[in-house]
């Protein structure tokens, strides 16, 4: 299993594997470089990335070996451009660089924060949209009735924690039923692993996150494969198809929005809704009626951890 950075490591393995994986994805033609002769690998060579970034081959080789501490933002930006990183990948590279810098003091443990009642009121006011809040570890920390009805297999899974709180990553990779519930399971698995990868770069000292990734890596070959791809995702939206046990297949639009509940913790509000006039809207209305009942009020024990 690939080790995650912790309080005692300088993230060299993570940096090396990420940069090497991005380099391998770009052909000389895509980078606008001339090609001649046979190449052992389809991607760029280190010396080619160095030329594109305007640095020496020795310098880039040292960077790709994980020596990122002290590298200026301008140079990192040049490397990101040379590797054609997208916005999420660029953010992740800068997160890795920040985590590798020597800390003036030991990093503090991220404190849990309560889900404010106003957030639950907001969720419960959305009667025709499934709405839930999750943290960077993919724990669902607050939800409205329709979210619990729509994602009933997730909430009722044996992969929930002792408080009955679902974790989307644990459900996708450890519950066999996830492959039926998520019609496009492979895409859902890839995005989920990429979201965890981004969180690992953002919060390298989160012990609970390391334990989650260790658990998934140990128990799920599919997760190990996705984790090794080093793909990164921060923001996500699109179309999701679900096979619901009560109403059948639904094709829904989903959107995730940043929800600033804490200056330290990353969490977002995720909304699912159906296109008006579609069969999926009719089926979502059925779930809305099934979900009608006493709303769940957020309590101090509901933690964003």
């Amino acid at each position: 299993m690939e080790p995650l950075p912790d309080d005692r490591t300088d993230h060299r393995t993570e940096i090396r594997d990420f940069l090497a994986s991005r380099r391998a994805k770009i052909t000389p033609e895509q980078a606008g470089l001339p090609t001649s002769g046979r190449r052992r690998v389809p991607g760029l060579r280190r010396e080619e990335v160095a030329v594109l970034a305007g640095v020496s081959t020795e310098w880039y080789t040292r960077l790709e070996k994980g020596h990122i501490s002290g590298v200026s933002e301008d140079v990192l930006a040049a490397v990101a451009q040379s590797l054609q990183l997208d916005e999420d990948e660029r953010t992740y590279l800068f997160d890795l660089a920040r985590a590798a810098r020597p800390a003036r003091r030991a990093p503090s443990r991220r404190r849990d924060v309560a889900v404010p009642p106003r957030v639950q009121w907001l969720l419960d006011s959305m009667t025709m949209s499934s709405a839930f809040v999750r943290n960077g570890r993919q724990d669902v920390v607050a939800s409205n009735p329709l979210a619990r009805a729509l994602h009933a297999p997730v909430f009722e899974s044996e992969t929930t924690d002792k408080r009955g709180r679902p974790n989307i990553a644990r459900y996708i990779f450890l519950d066999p039923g996830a492959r039926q519930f998520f019609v496009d399971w492979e895409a859902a698995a890839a995005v989920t692993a990429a979201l965890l990868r981004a969180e690992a770069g953002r919060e390298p000292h989160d012990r609970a996150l390391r334990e989650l990734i260790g658990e998934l890596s140990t128990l799920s070959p599919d997760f190990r494969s996705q984790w090794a791809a080093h793909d990164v995702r921060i923001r996500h939206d699109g179309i999701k198809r679900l096979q619901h046990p009560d109403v059948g297949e639904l094709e829904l639009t989903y959107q995730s929005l940043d929800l600033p509940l804490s200056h330290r913790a990353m969490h977002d509000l995720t909304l699912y809704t159906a296109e008006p006039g579609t069969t999926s809207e009719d089926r979502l209305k059925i779930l809305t009626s099934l979900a009608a009942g006493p709303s769940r009020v957020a309590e101090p024990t509901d933690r964003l951890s």
Side-chain angles (χ1 to χ4, degrees), residues 14-174:
E14 180 63 26
I15 295 162
R16 179 196 67 206
D17 292 348
F18 175 67
L19 291 176
S21 69
R22 300 309 94 174
R23 177 165 58 84
K25 287 190 170 186
I26 304 173
T27 65
E29 291 82 1
Q30 290 172 327
L33 295 174
T35 58
S36 60
R38 299 188 62 180
R39 301 172 66 92
R40 289 184 300 173
V41 293
L44 294 179
R45 301 187 180 103
R46 286 175 175 173
E47 56 267 27
E48 291 170 330
V49 177
V51 169
L52 292 169
V55 298
S56 69
T57 300
E58 292 76 15
W59 187 95
Y60 178 76
T61 299
R62 179 175 170 81
L63 174 64
E64 196 173 287
K65 288 182 177 180
H67 299 279
I68 201 170
S69 178
V71 176
S72 71
E73 291 191 357
D74 288 343
V75 171
L76 281 179
V79 170
Q81 184 175 355
S82 301
L83 294 174
Q84 301 181 14
L85 302 187
D86 62 25
E87 183 180 351
D88 289 353
E89 291 170 332
R90 187 179 186 278
T91 298
Y92 179 67
L93 177 62
F94 276 74
D95 283 342
L96 291 177
R98 187 188 66 251
R101 296 187 185 110
R104 295 182 179 179
R105 59 181 180 179
S108 60
R109 186 176 185 273
R110 199 167 49 169
R111 294 179 63 85
D112 295 346
V113 295
V115 178
R118 68 177 185 276
V119 172
Q120 190 63 54
W121 303 337
L122 171 69
L123 298 178
D124 289 338
S125 72
M126 302 178 187
T127 56
M128 278 304 297
S129 292
S130 161
F132 60 87
V133 177
R134 60 181 161 185
N135 59 24
R137 293 195 299 271
Q138 303 300 297
D139 296 317
V140 177
V141 296
S143 57
N144 69 359
L146 183 52
R148 296 190 291 278
L150 177 63
H151 291 86
V154 184
F155 280 82
E156 295 169 2
S157 171
E158 294 183 359
T159 60
T160 59
D161 65 16
K162 289 184 291 186
R163 287 179 290 171
R165 186 175 67 176
N167 180 279
I168 295 174
R170 191 176 282 116
Y171 173 76
I172 285 178
F173 288 105
L174 300 184

